[in-house]
Amino acid sequence: QSVLTQPPSASATPGQRVTISCSGSTSNIGSNYVYWYQQLPGTAPKLLIYTNNQRPSGVPDRFSGSKSGTSASLAISGLRSEDEADYYCATWDDSLSGVVFGGGTKLTVL
Amino acid sequence: EVQLVESGGGLVQPGGSLRLSCAASGFTFSIYSMNWVRQAPGKGLEWVSHISSSGSSIYYADSVKGRFTISRDNAKNSLYLQMSSLRADDTAVYYCARHLNSGTDYWGQGTLVTVSS
């Protein structure tokens, strides 16, 4: 059971917009920055969004992050086939004194 | 360019020990906290341990507390994870990841640890 809750799957067609949610609590998302990662099959996770809504250089502006209270979300617009991957949210949990991850969302581009 | 390269994984019997290493380059290793994160086959990401830049603050997931020891050598730009009393459910790809605020930014490519008789 993951501390952060994500939907296990999401799907959309090319060109559409998809949103992935991440729900937590006051000790994690409510108190700290949220991070999002993309993991393609057989590869290490790659940072997509840091400190709630910032994109590292090289990440397309089709990817955006937001946070409100104890929830966060990742939005992907103009969906492309290469966006098909697993997506994870993460943050620090002050009660557990550690990084906590969501269970991951498998995105399928139909 | 930031690089993190893990090594030391392999096949080990239940109850055995293994030491993982992570060689860091392309940044000032001594000013960053670091993490170990693992991923069991077909499963999600699980944080394992965190160490502060100086090594003075260390945290572990409950699942590994008392069995794993994280350490670092800033002179050698290296991070370590000593794993003992290994169990089948420790089988996973182990990643080292640089800490940034309340998460991680750069990750290594991972090293596979298989616990099996």
Side-chain angles (χ1 to χ4, degrees), chain A residues 32-33 35 37 39 43-45 47 50-51 88 91-92 97-99 101 103, chain B residues 35 37 39 43-45 47 50 59 95 99-105 107-108:
Chain A
N32 295 291
Y33 293 120
Y35 293 68
Y37 307 92
Q39 187 177 34
T43 69
L47 180 65
Y50 65 99
T51 57
Y88 295 89
T91 187
W92 185 266
S97 294
V99 178
F101 289 93
Chain B
N35 296 278
V37 179
Q39 186 171 35
K43 302 297 185 183
L45 302 171
W47 171 78
H50 170 99
Y59 305 105
Y95 298 100
H99 197 78
L100 177 68
N101 288 315
S102 53
T104 64
D105 53 3
W107 296 57

Side-chain angles (χ1 to χ4, degrees), chain A residues 19-43:
Chain A
T19 300
I20 297 172
S21 62
C22 177
S23 177
S25 67
T26 54
S27 65
N28 43 66
I29 292 178
S31 316
N32 295 291
Y33 293 120
V34 177
Y35 293 68
W36 289 92
Y37 307 92
Q38 178 193 59
Q39 187 177 34
L40 299 170
T43 69

